[in-house]
Structure formats: structure tokens, C-alpha cells
Amino acid sequence: MAPIIKVENLHKHFKVARHRRGFLGAFRGLVSREYETVRAVDGISFEIGRGELVGYIGPNGAGKSTTIKILAGLLVPTGGTVIVNGRVPWRERKSHVATIGAVFGQRTTLWWDLPVIESLELLQYVYDVPPERFRRNLAEFREMLELDQFLETPVRSLSLGQRMRADLCAAMLHDPMLLFLDEPTIGLDVVAKERIRQFIRRINRERGTTIILTTHDLSDVEKLCERVMIIDHGRLLFDGELSELRNRFGGEREMVVYFDQEYDEVAVDGAEVVSRNGKRVTYRFDGHEITASELIGRISARHRIRDLSVREADIEDLVRKIYEGRLLEAPDAG
Amino acid sequence: MRRTIDIYLRLISVQIRSQMQYRASFLMSLSATALITFLGFGSLAMVFWRFDNIGGWTLWEVGFLYGMVEAAFGTMDLFFSGFNPHIFSRLIRMGTLDQILLRPLSVTLQVLGSSFIMKRLSRISQGALIFVISVAMLDVHWTPAKVAYLPLVFFGLMCFFGGFFVIGSTLTFWTVQPIEVVNIFTYGGREMIAYPMHIYERWMRDFFTYIVPAIFLNYYPALYFLEKPDPFGMPDFAPFLAPVVGVGMLVASFAFWSYGIRHYQSTAT
Amino acid sequence: MSRFARRIRLFVELSRVSFRRQLAYRTANLAGLATNTFFGLLRAAVMVALYGARQEVVGMSVRDAITYTGITQAVIAYLSVFGWTELMDTVYTGDISSDLLKPMDYFTFWMARDLGRALASMLMRGLTVMLIYALVFDITVPVGAWQWAALLASLLMGWLVSFSWRFLVNLAAFWTPNALGISRLIFATSWLMSGFMMPLRFFPDWFVGICYLTPFPAMINTVVEVYVGVLDAQGVITALAAQAMWAAGLIWVSQVVLRAGIRKLVIQGG
């Protein structure tokens, strides 16, 4: 099946005015300006198939939201080709945005002073949703997102979590094939996060909506996405399955050992002592070189072990290491 | 087209309902605005007994100009609330413009529907009141042509000032903050053409004739309605340029607006 | 150092900071200056057209009338004629609580800041407008040290009346959520009754009588009359005394109202 999104060699450069200092500088700035070029997106290519749920992650200023804005038709790129749903997003903005939904973090698409239900009804007309379909969708989302308790409340009085749920409903009313979620769980507590995640999972599975999710919270990605794209400095550092990310970069593991007594010398071959606190010693080892049982064998040959635990490097660590460039030189993008 | 109008009315009704939620503050600003509008002409009227004319025009002749421009500007200010540079620049700063671009509707339509400041009504009614009283006191020699032309002048004035709002808003695509100097053209222009143009220095009048042709929107039509001689010897069609100049201004400003949106779509971060 | 000297130093320091901050708004100052000047030119043209062939109206020559339009445009920023709501904003945002905790009298705290802002505005916008007027028109200039001294005193007193009045109006925010609307209404009233729209002496006597029952003429009209010299020595002294009385009265009333407001704030917990 043809991919729903096809991006080739995408570039977006911004010109940023350099500020001159002082009074004279400000005056000269009015007449002529010096510009610096910032490459927010610097040659990215990827495809996304129908029904995928992709996590798109990267540090602040990495180029995430620039990419999303281009895909959503808000921004015109400097170079490269983008086809979404057979359209070039920014050329056919109106027909394009009619087929997508988007929730941008802390900004709401709803009308501030209106009760939620009236905002949703207004969106029915904005997107020209047939009444029958509107009723069906609304009924379904009301139940899934538990909207009933605040349907009559003006948007300005909603909590952050409630507003996010209302916004998700608003983004899905017109049955978009593609949904962009920019930081959908930011600032929410654990329960609210979980509710949002369940909704995302369900619409992806039951409706086959393709979803692209940017987030700071990597547990969103771990719990929802099979595929992860990592971007930094405008380049794609990784694009693949979550399990592959773990395999390739998750070789490093940690073992915490509690000894029977304090030993003077605890070092062993094949592992590095990361920290030591009385009888508690933490080793780090590379899973590709030595297995956990081999390591246990080597340690117990010299000392008495009372207890131990092995910890997989979590995805947060992995990603941090990738950003820091410790684990890989940026491969050819794509 | 019908869908466009339907959506527009729905968007506007949201704005009206939101403002009605704050009834006390709404009534308060309504009366404040009414007072402010009254003050301009009222203070002139209150000192007129000491002077009896302004550049050869009577109080009611000035009232004709004053009421017309106040009512037309107020109506423009109501319908173009979303294009008021101060209000529009907030749409950019708050990211609301991105939400607008995400909806399958014309951006212009949505900006027009994003704000509808009801307290302008008091400005409109005050202007209309001054105009009606002035006309009643003046004993204007009405002909069918004059009656037919009056709404066109009103429309021309609205378009003309609307154009400045659109230009002022478009500039904020580059500057983010509204450019205060635009106020000289909008609020300054309104104040200026509320008085007969021949009272101003030559250079000011020339500026508002050839660079910003505001003189054709109020002064020349008034010469025609009040059957006064033209002190500057313009061609005979000069009084009838109001709708042309107004619409021309609006069309040009919307061309600049589309250019601005394209610029926004290639720079917004 | 005595307690009094310390308070004076704090006052000066606050004013200085706010003076500097006001000067730093370069583009805003420039835009304000352009707008004030443009409207001044408009109003001067209206005055000239009103006068026509007349040389003098109630003691004011055409030259005085043109100068009058310059003065009113020059004090717009100095006296925040179009409105000042900074204090009520802090009531609504809740920032007021930290200001109330400062080891300084609340009224003096705002007064010091407003003085700095006013002086900077006078420098950047007031004097500049008058300078432009002097270049474009033949304007009236006060004569002699005595009249200059009276003008300075009147300007300072005008600011004191204007500030304590604005302070008082802002206190409405302690009692009502609609203080902004109320203040708009009051500021608009002050334009007419302070002599900002037209010199008060042009108005019918009965109306001028009403105006002088309010503090508004002490803000602008007195400054204008002292400047253009339409008052005799006796008149100037009376006018300055009236300004001083209004200033003292308003400061006293705002203290009383402020205490009541703070009590209300404390009882309701903000």
C-alpha cells in the first residue's frame, strides 16, 4: 500500500536577524540587517505507512515541530518534496487540513468562552461533517474520553487534562486519516496521561488513524509506538523499531550487587564499577561481550553475594546517549 | 458562498455571546466609548458660541463630516475587529493563527470571525446621531442621486479605513508587535477628515490628497451633498471618487495581506 | 542614617529605575512622539480655523491657542492622560501582595515610580513636542524667572494631583472586577473637564463652574493658564494654591481609601 506520508530530502532554513548592540546598533538595525541561516530541518527523508503510530522525538529546537508544521501545511519548506495523502500540504492547504487532525500541546483549538459542546458543534460546521457522522463520532468520543462531566463547562475553566481530552475529541470529529499530536501529555498527572494514551491507542487500532506523536515523555513512546524517529540538529539520527533501538544501543546494562560484607577490592574483568556504597556495588557491562550469568560467575568466584538485580538501560538513557553522540556518528539520514 | 456566510455568522455569534457573559463590564465600556465619541464633537459644539464658524463652515456642516466619518469608521472597526493590528498581533503571538491555518476555511474569513467588538456600537450610534442631527439642522437639498450616493460614500469610508487595518495587521507578520505609526493613518486620518480639509496647511493636505487620498472620501462628497464650491479646483468627478478610492484601497491592502500570509508560512517558527 | 533620609534615598532610587526604564522604550517613545505631534498639528489647524480673523478670544490670542494645543499634547505622556491601570492590574494578577510586603509605604512606592516615568516622558515626549512646536509655529513662551518658576510649580503640582487621582481610581479594583470600565469612564470625563479637549475658558461659564468643583482643571488647565500668562499675579497664586489644596486633599483621601481596601483584601484573603 502506498505510504500516507512521503518525505524526501526535506530542508527548512530560517534567516534570523543578528542583533546589533547599543543605541547605534539598534538604529543601524533599522536600515540594514545581518542575517544568520539556521537549518531547522537539514535533509530528512522518511515514509510513513497507513495506520502507523510513530513517535517523533528529539531535544528542544531539534526540528520536530518544524517538520510537523510542514506536514500539517502551516509552513512552506526551503527544499525537498513532501506528499501527504497524495497532496502537497502547503499548496492545497484547505483540502489538506480537512483530512488531518492536530493537537498542538498547550494551545487549544476550542473557543475560550464557549462551553465545550458548543465548540464541538461549531467545528462540525467548520469541517462540514455530516450530522449523522458527527452524532456518531461525538457519542463515541464522549464515552472514550469521558467528556460528559465537563461538556457544558466553558473551555477557560477546564483543567489542563480536561482541555486536552476536549481538544483530542475536536481533532477527531471529522475522521481525519492522519493525526498530529505535539506533546499531548505535557503537564499532566499520571492518571490523565494514561487516559490520553489509551485513547491514542484505541483510535489507532480501531479506526486505523495514522498518528505522529512528538513528546518529551519517553514513556509515551515506550507504551504506544512501535516505530521511533529521533531527530537532532535537523537530521534524522534513528528511524526504526523500538526493539531495534534497544538492540543496537541498549547493549549496556547495569547490575547492582549486595555483598555479604564490605570488600576492599570488588573490580572484575568485563565490567566497570559505576558506584560503590558500602556493601552495595553497581557494575556496568556490555551485554554483547559478557552475559549477566557469566558476570555473576566471575564475581561470586571471589566474593559472597547476598542479592542482586539487573537493570536494562531505559529508553531515556538510550536517547540521551544518542543525543550526546556517544553511541553513534549520525548515519546517512534515512 | 452560502456556507461561507453561514460559518461567518456562526463565528460572529460566538464572539457576541462571549462578550455578553461579561455584561457589567460590557455596559461600562459601552458608555465609556459613547462618552469619548461625544467628547470630540461635544467639546467643539460647546465652544462654538464663541466662534460661530470653522474655516467658514457652520457647526452642523462640520457635524455632517464628523458624524459620517465616526459612524463609518465605527462600523468598519466593528466588522474588521479581527484586523485591528493590536488584536491581530495577539493572534500571531499566541499561536492562534496556526490554529486558523489548520482549519479548512479561508484565513481572511476566520480572522474576520475571530473578533467582533460590540462596544463599537456606541461609537456607530453616536456618529449616526451627530450625522442625523446635523442633516436635520442643515436643510440639505436632497435629490435621488444624493440619496443613492450616500450609502456608497459610507461604504467607501469603511473600505478605506479597513484597508489601513489590514495593512497594519499584515505588517505584524514581520514585526510581531503592532507598528504604532500606522495609528497616524487610521485614528489620525479619521480625526483629520472629520474637519473640512481646507483648514490644514498645504503640505498636510497634499499628503492626504496625492499620497493617501483621504480627501476624496469625506470632504469632496460633503462638498457635493452640501452644494459648496470646490476651493481647490479639482475635476468635477472628484466628489464621486469615494467608493472607487475606498474599494481600491481595500483591494490593494488584501493583496499585501496575501503576500504577508505567504511570508508567514515561510518563516513562522 | 536617619530613617527619614533612608526613605528619601529609597524614593529617589525607585524613581531613577523607573526613569531609566521609561527611557529604554525607544521605539514606543518615538511612535508616541510622532502621534502626539501629528494630532497637535491637526488641533492647531482647527484652532486657527476657529479663530479665523479674530485676534483674541477671552484673553487668549491665536498664538496662545496654538501653544495650548502643543501643551496638551506635551503632557499626554507626562500625566498619563489616556489612562493608567498598572496598579489595578497588580490587584487582578495578585502581584499586589508582594508589593504590600515591601518595607515601604504603598502610596509612596507607586508615587516614586510614577515620578520617574513622568519625568522621562516629559523629557522624551513633552519637551520634544514643544521643541517641534517652536520650530513649526510662532508660539508663546513664558516671560521672566517668576513665570517660569510658577510654570514649574504648576507642572509639578499638576502631576501630583493627576497621580493621586489616578491612584485613587485604581483602588476601585479592590472592590469591583469592573474597575477597568470605571476608569475608562473617569479618564474620558477628565479629558473634557481638565481642559484637555478645549481651553476651559472657551466653555460657557456655568460649565466651567462645574469643572472647577472637580480636581480635573488642576491637572492641565491651570498649567496652560500659567504658561500662556492669561492670569495676573494674584490669579497665579490662587491657581497654584488651588492645585496644592487638591493635591493635599486627594493624597489624604487615597490614604483613607487605601487602608479600607487593604483591610478588605486581608479579610478576604486576596
Side-chain angles (χ1 to χ4, degrees):
Chain A
M1 198 158 52
I4 190 165
I5 297 179
K6 195 169 160 59
V7 173
E8 246 169 81
N9 198 23
L10 185 66
H11 281 269
K12 179 68 202 178
H13 304 166
F14 293 111
K15 270 194 200 164
V16 181
R18 201 177 290 165
H19 283 283
R20 290 195 177 92
R21 294 176 60 88
F23 184 78
L24 267 180
F27 185 73
R28 276 168 61 203
L30 292 175
V31 187
S32 69
R33 283 194 179 157
E34 276 175 41
Y35 290 98
E36 247 174 303
T37 304
V38 175
R39 292 160 182 265
V41 175
D42 194 15
I44 283 183
S45 304
F46 61 86
E47 284 180 8
I48 290 176
R50 279 173 206 281
E52 281 197 72
L53 203 173
V54 182
Y56 192 43
I57 56 183
N60 274 335
K64 275 178 308 189
S65 41
T66 305
T67 320
I68 298 287
K69 281 184 172 182
I70 292 171
L71 293 178
L74 300 183
L75 208 51
V76 183
T78 314
T81 55
V82 176
I83 303 290
V84 180
N85 243 330
R87 292 191 191 88
V88 178
W90 58 92
R91 291 237 174 87
E92 303 161 70
R93 182 186 67 84
K94 279 194 241 175
S95 44
H96 171 66
V97 295
T99 63
I100 66 167
V103 178
F104 282 126
Q106 286 142 318
R107 285 172 195 155
T108 181
T109 191
L110 305 165
W111 281 262
W112 204 240
D113 287 317
L114 280 193
V116 174
I117 183 69
E118 289 186 39
S119 268
L120 299 176
E121 278 164 0
L122 190 52
L123 285 170
Q124 174 193 351
Y125 297 101
V126 167
Y127 285 93
D128 213 3
V129 186
E132 179 47 38
R133 188 137 54 98
F134 175 77
R135 264 196 301 279
R136 200 156 15 96
N137 278 346
L138 184 61
E140 189 178 338
F141 297 140
R142 269 166 79 165
E143 175 261 317
M144 280 166 82
L145 290 161
E146 294 168 50
L147 300 180
D148 283 351
Q149 42 176 317
F150 53 85
L151 218 44
E152 301 295 335
T153 314
V155 174
R156 59 167 191 271
S157 334
L158 296 184
S159 72
L160 197 58
Q162 290 173 329
R163 223 197 56 210
M164 183 52 71
R165 274 141 71 194
D167 260 312
L168 279 170
C169 173
M172 288 300 297
L173 278 175
H174 56 289
D175 291 327
M177 312 182 195
L178 183 59
L179 181 62
F180 296 105
L181 299 175
D182 192 12
E183 301 286 354
T185 59
I186 200 162
L188 302 185
D189 63 55
V190 186
V191 181
K193 272 183 187 176
E194 194 44 44
R195 197 174 349 219
I196 303 262
R197 286 180 191 142
Q198 273 175 19
F199 177 78
I200 295 171
R201 200 178 294 123
R202 266 184 76 180
I203 54 165
N204 175 251
R205 285 195 192 141
E206 292 173 11
R207 298 179 161 241
T209 311
T210 311
I211 298 173
I212 298 180
L213 169 84
T214 77
T215 180
H216 268 86
D217 186 347
L218 289 163
S219 52
D220 284 345
V221 177
E222 271 186 300
K223 292 193 171 143
L224 290 171
C225 307
E226 282 179 2
R227 178 175 165 191
V228 193
M229 299 200 294
I230 302 177
I231 184 178
D232 192 20
H233 291 109
R235 295 180 149 259
L236 219 44
L237 299 184
F238 176 85
D239 180 1
E241 299 204 343
L242 196 60
S243 53
E244 189 197 332
L245 183 70
R246 251 190 239 285
N247 273 342
R248 252 168 86 186
F249 309 113
E252 259 185 20
R253 308 162 81 184
E254 282 179 353
M255 183 185 290
V256 182
V257 181
Y258 297 86
F259 291 112
D260 247 7
Q261 62 190 91
E262 269 186 58
Y263 296 104
D264 292 336
E265 184 55 58
V266 291
V268 288
D269 283 342
E272 177 195 347
V273 178
V274 190
S275 69
R276 187 172 173 181
N277 183 9
K279 297 177 194 168
R280 184 170 173 275
V281 178
T282 307
Y283 296 91
R284 184 183 293 155
F285 61 104
D286 187 337
H288 297 303
E289 283 168 15
I290 180 170
T291 63
S293 63
E294 277 174 325
L295 184 62
I296 295 168
R298 282 185 198 177
I299 297 172
S300 57
R302 289 205 244 152
H303 303 307
R304 287 174 58 105
I305 297 174
R306 172 176 288 178
D307 194 7
L308 61 78
S309 65
V310 179
R311 202 166 66 88
E312 295 282 344
D314 63 20
I315 176 165
E316 200 130 357
D317 288 338
L318 294 183
V319 172
R320 198 173 56 238
K321 280 178 204 156
I322 293 176
Y323 294 161
E324 287 167 0
R326 249 202 271 161
L327 279 168
L328 97 163
E329 295 298 302
D332 283 344
Chain B
M1 190 64 200
R2 248 185 83 184
R3 176 159 179 255
T4 307
I5 293 170
D6 176 58
I7 295 274
Y8 175 73
L9 293 178
R10 283 177 196 278
L11 292 176
I12 292 302
S13 97
V14 172
Q15 298 303 322
I16 295 174
R17 269 182 293 162
S18 313
Q19 288 167 63
M20 289 305 142
Q21 289 176 13
Y22 309 93
R23 194 175 308 258
S25 98
F26 171 71
L27 290 175
M28 198 78 75
S29 22
L30 205 63
S31 35
T33 319
L35 182 64
I36 291 166
T37 317
F38 162 78
L39 287 180
F41 190 72
S43 61
L44 185 70
M46 279 172 73
V47 302
F48 223 78
W49 63 289
R50 288 200 194 269
F51 297 95
D52 74 51
N53 78 78
I54 176 164
W57 286 39
T58 66
L59 180 65
W60 303 118
E61 284 169 340
V62 176
F64 186 94
L65 287 172
Y66 202 103
M68 172 79 102
V69 73
E70 278 294 332
F73 191 99
T75 314
M76 182 288 292
D77 214 357
L78 178 66
F79 285 99
F80 280 70
S81 297
F83 276 105
N84 182 318
H86 287 268
I87 294 173
F88 180 77
S89 71
R90 222 159 28 213
L91 287 191
I92 294 187
R93 287 199 302 273
M94 313 268 292
T96 315
L97 192 64
D98 285 346
Q99 299 294 342
I100 282 178
L101 283 163
L102 277 172
R103 295 192 191 126
L105 294 174
S106 135
V107 178
T108 311
L109 174 78
Q110 293 184 75
V111 173
L112 284 171
S114 68
S115 181
F116 197 76
I117 301 174
M118 295 282 286
K119 67 179 182 207
R120 306 284 185 244
L121 283 174
S122 69
R123 185 140 221 160
I124 300 169
S125 52
Q126 291 274 314
L129 191 68
I130 294 171
F131 182 78
V132 168
I133 294 174
S134 300
V135 166
M137 303 297 286
L138 274 173
D139 190 24
V140 180
H141 177 237
W142 288 105
T143 63
K146 281 186 184 174
V147 174
Y149 187 50
L150 190 64
L152 288 178
V153 173
F154 190 87
F155 183 71
L157 274 165
M158 272 179 62
C159 292
F160 184 75
F161 285 116
F164 280 111
F165 265 29
V166 173
I167 289 173
S169 288
T170 307
L171 286 173
T172 59
F173 283 128
W174 282 269
T175 62
V176 182
Q177 293 295 330
I179 305 283
E180 298 291 337
V181 178
V182 175
N183 291 350
I184 292 185
F185 294 102
T186 48
Y187 303 111
R190 172 185 68 190
E191 182 79 7
M192 181 160 187
I193 65 174
Y195 297 95
M197 295 291 282
H198 61 261
I199 69 169
Y200 301 113
E201 300 266 348
R202 174 81 193 262
W203 66 269
M204 276 173 104
R205 200 173 55 239
D206 280 353
F207 183 82
F208 283 94
T209 305
Y210 301 108
I211 316 256
V212 180
I215 198 169
F216 300 108
L217 284 144
N218 203 20
Y219 183 65
Y220 271 98
L223 293 181
Y224 164 68
F225 286 110
L226 306 179
E227 293 172 14
K228 286 177 160 290
D230 171 12
F232 309 122
M234 282 275 171
D236 289 345
F237 58 79
F240 305 103
L241 289 174
V244 183
V245 172
V247 171
M249 173 79 206
L250 191 61
V251 169
S253 69
F254 271 126
F256 182 46
W257 165 248
S258 336
Y259 175 74
I261 292 180
R262 278 202 301 280
H263 171 81
Y264 177 79
Q265 284 193 288
S266 61
T267 58
T269 41
Chain C
M1 197 164 43
S2 79
R3 202 164 147 237
F4 183 71
R6 225 176 22 242
R7 276 165 66 180
I8 295 284
R9 234 187 53 179
L10 190 56
F11 186 94
V12 171
E13 194 51 37
L14 273 171
S15 298
R16 219 165 54 97
V17 169
S18 134
F19 180 86
R20 286 242 193 93
R21 189 178 330 133
Q22 184 61 33
L23 285 189
Y25 299 137
R26 278 194 300 255
T27 40
N29 281 326
L30 221 64
L33 180 64
T35 316
N36 293 161
T37 310
F38 179 82
F39 274 88
L41 296 179
L42 278 190
R43 299 182 59 198
V46 171
M47 278 297 177
V48 172
L50 273 175
Y51 267 70
R54 285 179 187 75
Q55 285 307 308
E56 206 188 276
V57 175
V58 258
M60 279 179 84
S61 64
V62 189
R63 202 164 80 152
D64 292 341
I66 291 173
T67 309
Y68 156 81
T69 63
I71 300 169
T72 48
Q73 294 303 112
V75 297
I76 288 178
Y78 174 63
L79 299 180
S80 300
V81 171
F82 291 154
W84 178 80
T85 54
E86 240 178 273
L87 194 160
M88 70 172 73
D89 294 343
T90 70
V91 177
Y92 292 138
T93 57
D95 293 345
I96 187 179
S97 43
S98 65
D99 291 339
L100 283 172
L101 287 175
K102 290 198 172 80
M104 187 181 189
D105 174 59
Y106 188 67
F107 180 82
T108 332
F109 165 74
W110 278 106
M111 183 157 99
R113 291 176 32 162
D114 197 66
L115 181 64
R117 184 205 55 72
L119 290 178
S121 303
M122 183 43 98
L123 195 69
M124 297 282 287
R125 288 173 60 179
L127 291 179
T128 326
V129 167
M130 289 315 285
L131 208 66
I132 295 170
Y133 257 70
L135 291 174
V136 178
F137 302 107
D138 171 29
I139 59 166
T140 312
V141 180
V143 201
W146 148 251
Q147 208 193 337
W148 277 107
L151 174 64
L152 271 183
S154 178
L155 268 172
L156 198 67
M157 224 89 82
W159 165 75
L160 208 54
V161 176
S162 152
F163 167 71
S164 37
W165 174 254
R166 282 182 276 128
F167 184 87
L168 192 60
V169 170
N170 272 261
L171 293 183
F174 284 97
W175 284 273
T176 160
N178 296 315
L180 190 65
I182 295 172
S183 77
R184 273 209 198 107
L185 211 56
I186 291 174
F187 283 119
T189 312
S190 77
W191 300 344
L192 184 67
M193 302 186 98
S194 65
F196 175 72
M197 310 282 304
M198 281 286 170
L200 287 186
R201 50 178 57 224
F202 287 0
F203 290 134
D205 290 339
W206 62 266
F207 185 72
V208 181
I210 297 176
C211 291
Y212 273 96
L213 295 176
T214 71
F216 301 126
M219 297 172 192
I220 297 178
N221 204 57
T222 308
V223 176
V224 170
E225 299 203 331
V226 170
Y227 182 108
V228 298
V230 287
L231 302 174
D232 54 15
Q234 179 70 44
V236 170
I237 291 170
T238 318
L240 291 179
Q243 276 189 309
M245 267 177 48
W246 275 115
L250 284 171
I251 290 172
W252 180 73
V253 173
S254 53
Q255 297 302 313
V256 174
V257 176
L258 175 64
R259 267 198 296 277
I262 290 174
R263 243 194 331 270
K264 179 160 188 297
L265 206 65
V266 173
I267 290 166
Q268 297 191 339

